Amino acid sequence: GNFDALGVHPYVGQSDQPPETCVQDADIIYYPCNIPNLIQLMRDNGQGDKTIWATEYGWSSHEDEPDAKTWQLGVTEAEQADFLLRMQQYLGQFPEVEASFWYTERNTAKGDVHEDNFGLLTREFDRKPAYFAIKCAASGVCGPT
């Protein structure tokens, strides 16, 4: 019945959309715009003093496959970086959101174009624009170094 923080994965249901996108039907649980509902739910249940951690979020940078489902859509590397910064700004409007974590540090090679391209780095450890975006978000120092 007790917890220290509520962990959420605020991915965007249609995975090529920016973090501000919101679908106000049953799919809202798959969008960051559900966070106010979670805050209210916590308050309504006497847990309003607890924090929220966005324990996993991100966008995959890849070209779409012909039969991709809405949750398998990719973005460009530039959009990935832009959406990362926009998500940090979005989450920052909620004092209840104490921490956020990007998924994942490096692209993988498991054979699924969507799952393989969330990294801040390529498989060869080259820095993608999202690497610089998260560095900017974390330090306030923006631009490649």
Side-chain angles (χ1 to χ4, degrees), residues 9-14 19-38 90:
H9 290 185
Y11 286 95
V12 177
Q14 182 171 332
E20 307 85 8
T21 303
C22 189
V23 175
Q24 292 288 342
D25 62 11
D27 290 337
I28 193 173
I29 63 171
Y30 300 111
Y31 290 88
C33 63
N34 192 41
I35 290 173
N37 297 331
L38 297 174
Y90 185 85

Side-chain angles (χ1 to χ4, degrees), residues 14-145:
Q14 182 171 332
S15 60
D16 64 347
Q17 297 298 301
E20 307 85 8
T21 303
C22 189
V23 175
Q24 292 288 342
D25 62 11
D27 290 337
I28 193 173
I29 63 171
Y30 300 111
Y31 290 88
C33 63
N34 192 41
I35 290 173
N37 297 331
L38 297 174
I39 291 168
Q40 190 59 52
L41 181 65
M42 291 165 62
R43 288 179 183 156
D44 292 348
N45 287 281
Q47 302 291 334
D49 60 331
K50 305 294 179 159
T51 60
I52 294 174
W53 285 26
T55 55
E56 180 182 313
Y57 77 95
W59 284 263
S60 179
S61 61
H62 68 274
E63 291 195 24
D64 296 333
E65 297 197 335
D67 59 346
K69 295 177 178 54
T70 58
W71 58 269
Q72 296 172 316
L73 299 174
V75 297
T76 67
E77 287 186 2
E79 288 172 320
Q80 183 186 46
D82 179 51
F83 292 175
L84 184 156
L85 288 173
R86 288 164 66 177
M87 177 64 108
Q88 287 303 116
Q89 291 171 341
Y90 185 85
L91 295 173
Q93 70 182 311
F94 304 106
E96 297 85 355
V97 177
E98 180 179 54
S100 66
F101 302 87
W102 180 266
Y103 175 81
T104 187
E105 75 280 353
R106 180 178 171 218
N107 287 353
T108 59
K110 298 178 183 174
D112 180 308
V113 69
H114 186 70
E115 291 294 326
D116 285 344
N117 290 286
F118 279 92
L120 302 171
L121 306 169
T122 67
R123 285 285 307 145
E124 296 75 30
F125 294 99
D126 293 324
R127 292 179 252 182
K128 293 166 55 176
Y131 170 88
F132 298 105
I134 204 163
K135 186 175 180 181
C136 171
S139 69
V141 177
C142 298
T145 57

